[in-house]
Amino acid sequence: MKAIIDCNSFYCSCERLFKPHLDDKPVVVLSNNDGCIVSRTDEAKKLGVKMAGPYFQAKPFIEQYNVATFSSNYHLYGDMSWRVMETLRMMLGAERVEVYSVDEAFLDMDDGSDEELYAAALHIRTTVEQWTGIKVSVGVAPTKVLSKIANHLAKKNKIETACVVVLQQKDSIQKALADTPVGEVWGVGRKYAEKLQEMNAVFTALDLSFMSEAWASKNLGGVVGVRLIKELNGKQGTVYEEALTTKKMIATTRMFGKAATTLTEIREAIATYTCRAAEKLRRQHGAAGRISIFVVTKGEDTRPGERFRHGPSYGASATLPLATSTTQDLIKAAMKLAEEIFCQGKIYKKAGVMLSEIVSDENIQGNLFSIEEKPNQRLLMNTIDNVNFAMRDDMLKFASSGTKRNWKMRAELRSQRHTTRWEELFEVR
């Protein structure tokens, strides 16, 4: 049997953890740069706050109903996510826990009766809430796709189900599939749902389960569609997937908190993002052979009700003489690219850096026309990384990344990072 643990309104739950007065109150959390609403509590949903809606449009409504609003606090969310996942590993063993996202994990469960599975899932839910303070929902079923449907039902009827639903018997599975719109099925989504409704009158998960594997291969994404049909019918279609630890491409992108108009601002942003990407690269003991950068300009102002659109983007890339993870070498290449794509008079809203052609830093191909990197450079990079990890907030930084950073992402409503900063520890009086 498979189970999925899903944290309820995870970002909002993390905010409520240190603000108990917000329990049972409407809460929303905003995306990067305070742009859109990315997490909302049930109370906010009942008020009519829309998911992914622009904050500036929802702000009058949010203020009218006194909805608590927070900027994204990824340091806090990342730490609380680790605590939830570590709790699951301690309870079940690391080999039985597959972390799927920051707030979700699949579990391998022992077989048993409905009552035994419900009791085991309820124990997991209660333990996670007691140990971490984060409320979760649990769905248990024979396959991952069915467990996602079970979890959806558990979150939909929290009081009635106690946030736990077990789907094992054929009749309960059939009823759950019939009650689940096809767009809610894991792996389908809104666009595919519209296509299925138009093509074959497939409106529910049950309708989809009746389709043949040959049809799924043709109309539902090939092998992925076949696996989906199998899992809807209770047949194991996906295997345990270990977390990807070595990435083939590393990117750091951000929206600007304030529009950038000068080459100096673009250079500072690109240098800052290059530093961050280089840290990620060294963390997996890699070296990049190619670097790419891009910038996005401001789009035309949209009318009320129209979907927001970015302006044109401009990019450039370069192959490095030697694959490297040394920040100053990567910044040097990035600065040349920034000068190539910058155009005076344009207003820039976003920038990003991507590192690719990644190899192990122990197997770097030599180049007769380039000087080999000095051994002490790696020691210097490790020292900088260790200091920044221990002291946080870029204690050591390269001058090219700037000091004022007026373009830095907005986070005007961010709460304190209670679990990762000594100076922001939660005070109890």
mmCIF file of all heavy atoms in Angstrom, residues 244-252 276-292 318-320 322-325 330 353-365:
data_model
loop_
_atom_site.group_PDB
_atom_site.id
_atom_site.type_symbol
_atom_site.label_atom_id
_atom_site.label_comp_id
_atom_site.label_asym_id
_atom_site.label_seq_id
_atom_site.Cartn_x
_atom_site.Cartn_y
_atom_site.Cartn_z
ATOM 1 N N LEU A 244 16.632 13.320 -6.677
ATOM 2 C CA LEU A 244 17.725 13.682 -7.572
ATOM 3 C C LEU A 244 18.724 14.556 -6.823
ATOM 4 O O LEU A 244 18.385 15.637 -6.355
ATOM 5 C CB LEU A 244 17.174 14.445 -8.783
ATOM 6 C CG LEU A 244 18.182 14.866 -9.848
ATOM 7 C CD1 LEU A 244 18.809 13.634 -10.489
ATOM 8 C CD2 LEU A 244 17.514 15.719 -10.902
ATOM 9 N N THR A 245 19.959 14.050 -6.672
ATOM 10 C CA THR A 245 20.966 14.787 -5.919
ATOM 11 C C THR A 245 21.950 15.507 -6.825
ATOM 12 O O THR A 245 22.590 16.460 -6.400
ATOM 13 C CB THR A 245 21.741 13.835 -4.991
ATOM 14 O OG1 THR A 245 22.314 12.766 -5.774
ATOM 15 C CG2 THR A 245 20.810 13.223 -3.951
ATOM 16 N N THR A 246 22.088 15.044 -8.060
ATOM 17 C CA THR A 246 23.022 15.670 -8.997
ATOM 18 C C THR A 246 22.241 16.232 -10.176
ATOM 19 O O THR A 246 21.714 15.480 -10.994
ATOM 20 C CB THR A 246 24.069 14.647 -9.499
ATOM 21 O OG1 THR A 246 24.753 14.083 -8.381
ATOM 22 C CG2 THR A 246 25.071 15.335 -10.403
ATOM 23 N N LYS A 247 22.187 17.553 -10.260
ATOM 24 C CA LYS A 247 21.416 18.195 -11.318
ATOM 25 C C LYS A 247 22.264 18.378 -12.566
ATOM 26 O O LYS A 247 23.469 18.610 -12.488
ATOM 27 C CB LYS A 247 20.906 19.552 -10.825
ATOM 28 C CG LYS A 247 19.973 19.454 -9.634
ATOM 29 C CD LYS A 247 19.535 20.837 -9.179
ATOM 30 C CE LYS A 247 18.600 20.752 -7.988
ATOM 31 N NZ LYS A 247 18.190 22.080 -7.511
ATOM 32 N N LYS A 248 21.602 18.308 -13.712
ATOM 33 C CA LYS A 248 22.297 18.512 -14.981
ATOM 34 C C LYS A 248 22.321 19.982 -15.382
ATOM 35 O O LYS A 248 23.071 20.379 -16.262
ATOM 36 C CB LYS A 248 21.623 17.679 -16.073
ATOM 37 C CG LYS A 248 21.707 16.182 -15.836
ATOM 38 C CD LYS A 248 21.052 15.399 -16.961
ATOM 39 C CE LYS A 248 21.157 13.907 -16.729
ATOM 40 N NZ LYS A 248 20.532 13.127 -17.821
ATOM 41 N N MET A 249 21.462 20.762 -14.747
ATOM 42 C CA MET A 249 21.423 22.202 -14.991
ATOM 43 C C MET A 249 21.036 22.901 -13.697
ATOM 44 O O MET A 249 20.170 22.414 -12.963
ATOM 45 C CB MET A 249 20.435 22.540 -16.106
ATOM 46 C CG MET A 249 20.314 24.019 -16.403
ATOM 47 S SD MET A 249 19.143 24.373 -17.741
ATOM 48 C CE MET A 249 20.029 23.721 -19.161
ATOM 49 N N ILE A 250 21.672 24.013 -13.403
ATOM 50 C CA ILE A 250 21.392 24.774 -12.186
ATOM 51 C C ILE A 250 21.037 26.197 -12.587
ATOM 52 O O ILE A 250 21.758 26.826 -13.371
ATOM 53 C CB ILE A 250 22.603 24.764 -11.238
ATOM 54 C CG1 ILE A 250 22.822 23.349 -10.686
ATOM 55 C CG2 ILE A 250 22.418 25.758 -10.095
ATOM 56 C CD1 ILE A 250 24.076 23.203 -9.865
ATOM 57 N N ALA A 251 19.936 26.697 -12.060
ATOM 58 C CA ALA A 251 19.489 28.042 -12.418
ATOM 59 C C ALA A 251 19.134 28.834 -11.170
ATOM 60 O O ALA A 251 18.669 28.278 -10.177
ATOM 61 C CB ALA A 251 18.287 27.970 -13.356
ATOM 62 N N THR A 252 19.365 30.139 -11.234
ATOM 63 C CA THR A 252 18.917 31.066 -10.208
ATOM 64 C C THR A 252 18.273 32.245 -10.915
ATOM 65 O O THR A 252 18.930 32.941 -11.694
ATOM 66 C CB THR A 252 20.076 31.558 -9.333
ATOM 67 O OG1 THR A 252 20.686 30.440 -8.681
ATOM 68 C CG2 THR A 252 19.581 32.535 -8.278
ATOM 69 N N ARG A 276 24.977 32.640 -6.236
ATOM 70 C CA ARG A 276 24.050 31.657 -5.682
ATOM 71 C C ARG A 276 24.095 30.360 -6.479
ATOM 72 O O ARG A 276 24.102 29.266 -5.903
ATOM 73 C CB ARG A 276 22.621 32.229 -5.705
ATOM 74 C CG ARG A 276 21.592 31.351 -5.053
ATOM 75 C CD ARG A 276 21.710 31.267 -3.542
ATOM 76 N NE ARG A 276 21.467 32.540 -2.919
ATOM 77 C CZ ARG A 276 22.383 33.200 -2.207
ATOM 78 N NH1 ARG A 276 23.588 32.685 -2.035
ATOM 79 N NH2 ARG A 276 22.107 34.364 -1.646
ATOM 80 N N ALA A 277 24.132 30.460 -7.801
ATOM 81 C CA ALA A 277 24.195 29.259 -8.636
ATOM 82 C C ALA A 277 25.508 28.507 -8.401
ATOM 83 O O ALA A 277 25.536 27.270 -8.382
ATOM 84 C CB ALA A 277 24.056 29.638 -10.109
ATOM 85 N N ALA A 278 26.597 29.242 -8.218
ATOM 86 C CA ALA A 278 27.899 28.603 -7.968
ATOM 87 C C ALA A 278 27.897 27.840 -6.644
ATOM 88 O O ALA A 278 28.490 26.764 -6.528
ATOM 89 C CB ALA A 278 29.002 29.661 -7.973
ATOM 90 N N GLU A 279 27.229 28.383 -5.628
ATOM 91 C CA GLU A 279 27.109 27.682 -4.350
ATOM 92 C C GLU A 279 26.385 26.355 -4.534
ATOM 93 O O GLU A 279 26.788 25.320 -3.993
ATOM 94 C CB GLU A 279 26.359 28.553 -3.342
ATOM 95 C CG GLU A 279 27.150 29.741 -2.831
ATOM 96 C CD GLU A 279 26.313 30.609 -1.904
ATOM 97 O OE1 GLU A 279 25.174 30.199 -1.575
ATOM 98 O OE2 GLU A 279 26.774 31.690 -1.508
ATOM 99 N N LYS A 280 25.276 26.377 -5.282
ATOM 100 C CA LYS A 280 24.528 25.151 -5.544
ATOM 101 C C LYS A 280 25.393 24.147 -6.304
ATOM 102 O O LYS A 280 25.337 22.942 -6.045
ATOM 103 C CB LYS A 280 23.271 25.459 -6.360
ATOM 104 C CG LYS A 280 22.268 26.370 -5.674
ATOM 105 C CD LYS A 280 21.101 26.649 -6.613
ATOM 106 C CE LYS A 280 20.114 27.653 -6.020
ATOM 107 N NZ LYS A 280 19.015 27.969 -6.973
ATOM 108 N N LEU A 281 26.176 24.651 -7.240
ATOM 109 C CA LEU A 281 27.045 23.798 -8.045
ATOM 110 C C LEU A 281 28.084 23.099 -7.172
ATOM 111 O O LEU A 281 28.307 21.888 -7.288
ATOM 112 C CB LEU A 281 27.728 24.641 -9.128
ATOM 113 C CG LEU A 281 28.666 23.925 -10.095
ATOM 114 C CD1 LEU A 281 27.895 22.917 -10.944
ATOM 115 C CD2 LEU A 281 29.372 24.938 -10.995
ATOM 116 N N ARG A 282 28.713 23.844 -6.283
ATOM 117 C CA ARG A 282 29.744 23.257 -5.408
ATOM 118 C C ARG A 282 29.129 22.281 -4.421
ATOM 119 O O ARG A 282 29.792 21.320 -4.003
ATOM 120 C CB ARG A 282 30.495 24.363 -4.674
ATOM 121 C CG ARG A 282 31.394 25.195 -5.583
ATOM 122 C CD ARG A 282 32.319 26.086 -4.781
ATOM 123 N NE ARG A 282 31.608 27.169 -4.123
ATOM 124 C CZ ARG A 282 31.369 28.359 -4.664
ATOM 125 N NH1 ARG A 282 31.775 28.611 -5.908
ATOM 126 N NH2 ARG A 282 30.731 29.301 -3.996
ATOM 127 N N ARG A 283 27.876 22.506 -4.049
ATOM 128 C CA ARG A 283 27.210 21.622 -3.096
ATOM 129 C C ARG A 283 27.085 20.207 -3.649
ATOM 130 O O ARG A 283 27.057 19.240 -2.903
ATOM 131 C CB ARG A 283 25.828 22.188 -2.770
ATOM 132 C CG ARG A 283 25.274 21.778 -1.416
ATOM 133 C CD ARG A 283 23.992 22.526 -1.128
ATOM 134 N NE ARG A 283 24.226 23.965 -1.036
ATOM 135 C CZ ARG A 283 23.324 24.888 -1.310
ATOM 136 N NH1 ARG A 283 22.115 24.535 -1.701
ATOM 137 N NH2 ARG A 283 23.615 26.167 -1.190
ATOM 138 N N GLN A 284 27.005 20.064 -4.978
ATOM 139 C CA GLN A 284 26.924 18.734 -5.572
ATOM 140 C C GLN A 284 28.266 18.322 -6.191
ATOM 141 O O GLN A 284 28.331 17.384 -6.976
ATOM 142 C CB GLN A 284 25.822 18.681 -6.627
ATOM 143 C CG GLN A 284 26.084 19.487 -7.888
ATOM 144 C CD GLN A 284 24.988 19.279 -8.925
ATOM 145 O OE1 GLN A 284 23.804 19.291 -8.614
ATOM 146 N NE2 GLN A 284 25.388 19.058 -10.167
ATOM 147 N N HIS A 285 29.321 19.045 -5.806
ATOM 148 C CA HIS A 285 30.689 18.742 -6.257
ATOM 149 C C HIS A 285 30.778 18.704 -7.782
ATOM 150 O O HIS A 285 31.349 17.791 -8.383
ATOM 151 C CB HIS A 285 31.166 17.402 -5.674
ATOM 152 C CG HIS A 285 31.078 17.333 -4.179
ATOM 153 N ND1 HIS A 285 31.944 18.043 -3.367
ATOM 154 C CD2 HIS A 285 30.231 16.667 -3.354
ATOM 155 C CE1 HIS A 285 31.637 17.805 -2.101
ATOM 156 N NE2 HIS A 285 30.599 16.990 -2.061
ATOM 157 N N GLY A 286 30.184 19.730 -8.395
ATOM 158 C CA GLY A 286 30.181 19.809 -9.841
ATOM 159 C C GLY A 286 30.988 20.975 -10.366
ATOM 160 O O GLY A 286 31.463 21.839 -9.618
ATOM 161 N N ALA A 287 31.137 20.999 -11.682
ATOM 162 C CA ALA A 287 31.799 22.105 -12.378
ATOM 163 C C ALA A 287 31.037 22.334 -13.679
ATOM 164 O O ALA A 287 30.661 21.370 -14.359
ATOM 165 C CB ALA A 287 33.261 21.787 -12.651
ATOM 166 N N ALA A 288 30.787 23.594 -14.017
ATOM 167 C CA ALA A 288 29.975 23.935 -15.189
ATOM 168 C C ALA A 288 30.862 24.275 -16.374
ATOM 169 O O ALA A 288 31.861 24.989 -16.241
ATOM 170 C CB ALA A 288 29.049 25.099 -14.867
ATOM 171 N N GLY A 289 30.465 23.790 -17.544
ATOM 172 C CA GLY A 289 31.213 24.089 -18.764
ATOM 173 C C GLY A 289 30.572 25.185 -19.589
ATOM 174 O O GLY A 289 31.165 25.661 -20.560
ATOM 175 N N ARG A 290 29.354 25.607 -19.194
ATOM 176 C CA ARG A 290 28.647 26.631 -19.961
ATOM 177 C C ARG A 290 27.804 27.478 -19.025
ATOM 178 O O ARG A 290 27.216 26.972 -18.065
ATOM 179 C CB ARG A 290 27.761 25.991 -21.028
ATOM 180 C CG ARG A 290 27.171 26.972 -22.036
ATOM 181 C CD ARG A 290 26.486 26.237 -23.191
ATOM 182 N NE ARG A 290 26.011 27.155 -24.209
ATOM 183 C CZ ARG A 290 26.758 27.682 -25.166
ATOM 184 N NH1 ARG A 290 28.040 27.371 -25.220
ATOM 185 N NH2 ARG A 290 26.256 28.505 -26.060
ATOM 186 N N ILE A 291 27.739 28.773 -19.310
ATOM 187 C CA ILE A 291 26.935 29.689 -18.509
ATOM 188 C C ILE A 291 26.027 30.494 -19.433
ATOM 189 O O ILE A 291 26.435 30.909 -20.525
ATOM 190 C CB ILE A 291 27.832 30.638 -17.669
ATOM 191 C CG1 ILE A 291 26.961 31.534 -16.782
ATOM 192 C CG2 ILE A 291 28.756 31.465 -18.551
ATOM 193 C CD1 ILE A 291 27.763 32.314 -15.755
ATOM 194 N N SER A 292 24.793 30.665 -19.010
ATOM 195 C CA SER A 292 23.808 31.438 -19.777
ATOM 196 C C SER A 292 23.153 32.447 -18.847
ATOM 197 O O SER A 292 22.958 32.168 -17.659
ATOM 198 C CB SER A 292 22.736 30.527 -20.377
ATOM 199 O OG SER A 292 23.305 29.491 -21.144
ATOM 200 N N ALA A 318 27.727 31.385 -23.068
ATOM 201 C CA ALA A 318 29.133 31.231 -23.443
ATOM 202 C C ALA A 318 29.663 29.909 -22.917
ATOM 203 O O ALA A 318 29.302 29.472 -21.817
ATOM 204 C CB ALA A 318 29.959 32.388 -22.892
ATOM 205 N N THR A 319 30.512 29.278 -23.726
ATOM 206 C CA THR A 319 31.212 28.067 -23.289
ATOM 207 C C THR A 319 32.492 28.480 -22.580
ATOM 208 O O THR A 319 33.261 29.308 -23.094
ATOM 209 C CB THR A 319 31.540 27.166 -24.487
ATOM 210 O OG1 THR A 319 30.312 26.782 -25.133
ATOM 211 C CG2 THR A 319 32.292 25.924 -24.044
ATOM 212 N N LEU A 320 32.727 27.931 -21.402
ATOM 213 C CA LEU A 320 33.898 28.292 -20.607
ATOM 214 C C LEU A 320 35.126 27.521 -21.082
ATOM 215 O O LEU A 320 35.010 26.367 -21.520
ATOM 216 C CB LEU A 320 33.631 27.997 -19.136
ATOM 217 C CG LEU A 320 32.404 28.698 -18.539
ATOM 218 C CD1 LEU A 320 32.094 28.162 -17.156
ATOM 219 C CD2 LEU A 320 32.632 30.200 -18.491
ATOM 220 N N LEU A 322 37.436 26.171 -19.382
ATOM 221 C CA LEU A 322 37.513 24.995 -18.519
ATOM 222 C C LEU A 322 36.265 24.939 -17.657
ATOM 223 O O LEU A 322 35.797 25.970 -17.178
ATOM 224 C CB LEU A 322 38.742 25.063 -17.604
ATOM 225 C CG LEU A 322 40.106 24.710 -18.180
ATOM 226 C CD1 LEU A 322 41.187 24.988 -17.143
ATOM 227 C CD2 LEU A 322 40.167 23.244 -18.599
ATOM 228 N N ALA A 323 35.723 23.756 -17.472
ATOM 229 C CA ALA A 323 34.608 23.621 -16.539
ATOM 230 C C ALA A 323 35.082 24.049 -15.156
ATOM 231 O O ALA A 323 36.183 23.684 -14.723
ATOM 232 C CB ALA A 323 34.128 22.174 -16.509
ATOM 233 N N THR A 324 34.264 24.836 -14.461
ATOM 234 C CA THR A 324 34.698 25.389 -13.188
ATOM 235 C C THR A 324 33.515 25.592 -12.243
ATOM 236 O O THR A 324 32.366 25.670 -12.682
ATOM 237 C CB THR A 324 35.411 26.737 -13.390
ATOM 238 O OG1 THR A 324 35.882 27.227 -12.137
ATOM 239 C CG2 THR A 324 34.469 27.760 -14.007
ATOM 240 N N SER A 325 33.836 25.659 -10.963
ATOM 241 C CA SER A 325 32.841 26.030 -9.950
ATOM 242 C C SER A 325 33.315 27.250 -9.174
ATOM 243 O O SER A 325 32.717 27.623 -8.171
ATOM 244 C CB SER A 325 32.604 24.861 -8.987
ATOM 245 O OG SER A 325 33.785 24.531 -8.294
ATOM 246 N N LEU A 330 33.171 32.381 -12.979
ATOM 247 C CA LEU A 330 31.812 32.393 -13.517
ATOM 248 C C LEU A 330 31.277 33.819 -13.619
ATOM 249 O O LEU A 330 30.607 34.176 -14.600
ATOM 250 C CB LEU A 330 30.899 31.546 -12.635
ATOM 251 C CG LEU A 330 31.193 30.038 -12.623
ATOM 252 C CD1 LEU A 330 30.395 29.340 -11.532
ATOM 253 C CD2 LEU A 330 30.893 29.424 -13.983
ATOM 254 N N VAL A 353 20.391 33.372 -14.164
ATOM 255 C CA VAL A 353 21.657 32.745 -14.554
ATOM 256 C C VAL A 353 21.458 31.237 -14.570
ATOM 257 O O VAL A 353 20.841 30.672 -13.656
ATOM 258 C CB VAL A 353 22.783 33.103 -13.566
ATOM 259 C CG1 VAL A 353 24.065 32.344 -13.911
ATOM 260 C CG2 VAL A 353 23.040 34.601 -13.564
ATOM 261 N N MET A 354 21.976 30.566 -15.611
ATOM 262 C CA MET A 354 21.885 29.114 -15.705
ATOM 263 C C MET A 354 23.257 28.519 -15.981
ATOM 264 O O MET A 354 23.987 29.015 -16.851
ATOM 265 C CB MET A 354 20.913 28.707 -16.814
ATOM 266 C CG MET A 354 19.463 29.023 -16.507
ATOM 267 S SD MET A 354 18.340 28.710 -17.889
ATOM 268 C CE MET A 354 18.700 30.143 -18.917
ATOM 269 N N LEU A 355 23.595 27.488 -15.245
ATOM 270 C CA LEU A 355 24.845 26.756 -15.433
ATOM 271 C C LEU A 355 24.514 25.394 -16.015
ATOM 272 O O LEU A 355 23.641 24.691 -15.499
ATOM 273 C CB LEU A 355 25.583 26.602 -14.102
ATOM 274 C CG LEU A 355 25.910 27.901 -13.353
ATOM 275 C CD1 LEU A 355 26.606 27.585 -12.033
ATOM 276 C CD2 LEU A 355 26.759 28.833 -14.200
ATOM 277 N N SER A 356 25.210 25.008 -17.069
ATOM 278 C CA SER A 356 24.933 23.721 -17.721
ATOM 279 C C SER A 356 26.237 23.038 -18.107
ATOM 280 O O SER A 356 27.327 23.518 -17.768
ATOM 281 C CB SER A 356 24.047 23.940 -18.956
ATOM 282 O OG SER A 356 24.651 24.861 -19.849
ATOM 283 N N GLU A 357 26.093 21.904 -18.823
ATOM 284 C CA GLU A 357 27.251 21.058 -19.158
ATOM 285 C C GLU A 357 28.049 20.760 -17.896
ATOM 286 O O GLU A 357 29.267 20.940 -17.830
ATOM 287 C CB GLU A 357 28.117 21.710 -20.234
ATOM 288 C CG GLU A 357 27.389 21.904 -21.559
ATOM 289 C CD GLU A 357 28.267 22.478 -22.655
ATOM 290 O OE1 GLU A 357 29.505 22.528 -22.458
ATOM 291 O OE2 GLU A 357 27.728 22.875 -23.694
ATOM 292 N N ILE A 358 27.326 20.300 -16.877
ATOM 293 C CA ILE A 358 27.921 20.074 -15.552
ATOM 294 C C ILE A 358 28.596 18.701 -15.495
ATOM 295 O O ILE A 358 28.035 17.694 -15.915
ATOM 296 C CB ILE A 358 26.837 20.182 -14.460
ATOM 297 C CG1 ILE A 358 26.279 21.608 -14.431
ATOM 298 C CG2 ILE A 358 27.383 19.794 -13.096
ATOM 299 C CD1 ILE A 358 25.111 21.795 -13.492
ATOM 300 N N VAL A 359 29.814 18.689 -14.981
ATOM 301 C CA VAL A 359 30.586 17.463 -14.787
ATOM 302 C C VAL A 359 31.073 17.417 -13.343
ATOM 303 O O VAL A 359 30.968 18.401 -12.607
ATOM 304 C CB VAL A 359 31.785 17.404 -15.745
ATOM 305 C CG1 VAL A 359 31.329 17.400 -17.200
ATOM 306 C CG2 VAL A 359 32.738 18.583 -15.508
ATOM 307 N N SER A 360 31.586 16.283 -12.938
ATOM 308 C CA SER A 360 32.171 16.167 -11.605
ATOM 309 C C SER A 360 33.420 17.030 -11.515
ATOM 310 O O SER A 360 34.224 17.090 -12.460
ATOM 311 C CB SER A 360 32.522 14.711 -11.309
ATOM 312 O OG SER A 360 33.317 14.617 -10.132
ATOM 313 N N ASP A 361 33.618 17.709 -10.379
ATOM 314 C CA ASP A 361 34.801 18.560 -10.244
ATOM 315 C C ASP A 361 36.084 17.760 -10.116
ATOM 316 O O ASP A 361 37.188 18.323 -10.084
ATOM 317 C CB ASP A 361 34.650 19.523 -9.059
ATOM 318 C CG ASP A 361 34.482 18.801 -7.730
ATOM 319 O OD1 ASP A 361 34.544 17.564 -7.702
ATOM 320 O OD2 ASP A 361 34.266 19.489 -6.710
ATOM 321 N N GLU A 362 35.973 16.430 -10.059
ATOM 322 C CA GLU A 362 37.152 15.576 -10.017
ATOM 323 C C GLU A 362 37.538 15.055 -11.400
ATOM 324 O O GLU A 362 38.575 14.409 -11.561
ATOM 325 C CB GLU A 362 36.912 14.391 -9.073
ATOM 326 C CG GLU A 362 36.727 14.807 -7.617
ATOM 327 C CD GLU A 362 36.526 13.604 -6.717
ATOM 328 O OE1 GLU A 362 36.405 12.475 -7.261
ATOM 329 O OE2 GLU A 362 36.498 13.788 -5.488
ATOM 330 N N ASN A 363 36.678 15.319 -12.397
ATOM 331 C CA ASN A 363 36.941 14.817 -13.763
ATOM 332 C C ASN A 363 36.775 15.933 -14.782
ATOM 333 O O ASN A 363 35.951 15.856 -15.684
ATOM 334 C CB ASN A 363 35.973 13.673 -14.089
ATOM 335 C CG ASN A 363 36.125 12.498 -13.160
ATOM 336 O OD1 ASN A 363 37.168 11.871 -13.113
ATOM 337 N ND2 ASN A 363 35.079 12.195 -12.406
ATOM 338 N N ILE A 364 37.549 16.995 -14.618
ATOM 339 C CA ILE A 364 37.463 18.144 -15.522
ATOM 340 C C ILE A 364 38.436 17.954 -16.682
ATOM 341 O O ILE A 364 39.636 17.720 -16.479
ATOM 342 C CB ILE A 364 37.782 19.450 -14.773
ATOM 343 C CG1 ILE A 364 36.740 19.673 -13.656
ATOM 344 C CG2 ILE A 364 37.799 20.635 -15.733
ATOM 345 C CD1 ILE A 364 37.028 20.874 -12.790
ATOM 346 N N GLN A 365 37.911 18.043 -17.905
ATOM 347 C CA GLN A 365 38.735 17.905 -19.095
ATOM 348 C C GLN A 365 39.674 19.090 -19.226
ATOM 349 O O GLN A 365 39.261 20.251 -19.131
ATOM 350 C CB GLN A 365 37.842 17.817 -20.345
ATOM 351 C CG GLN A 365 38.584 17.676 -21.651
ATOM 352 C CD GLN A 365 39.285 16.337 -21.765
ATOM 353 O OE1 GLN A 365 38.719 15.322 -21.426
ATOM 354 N NE2 GLN A 365 40.517 16.340 -22.240
#
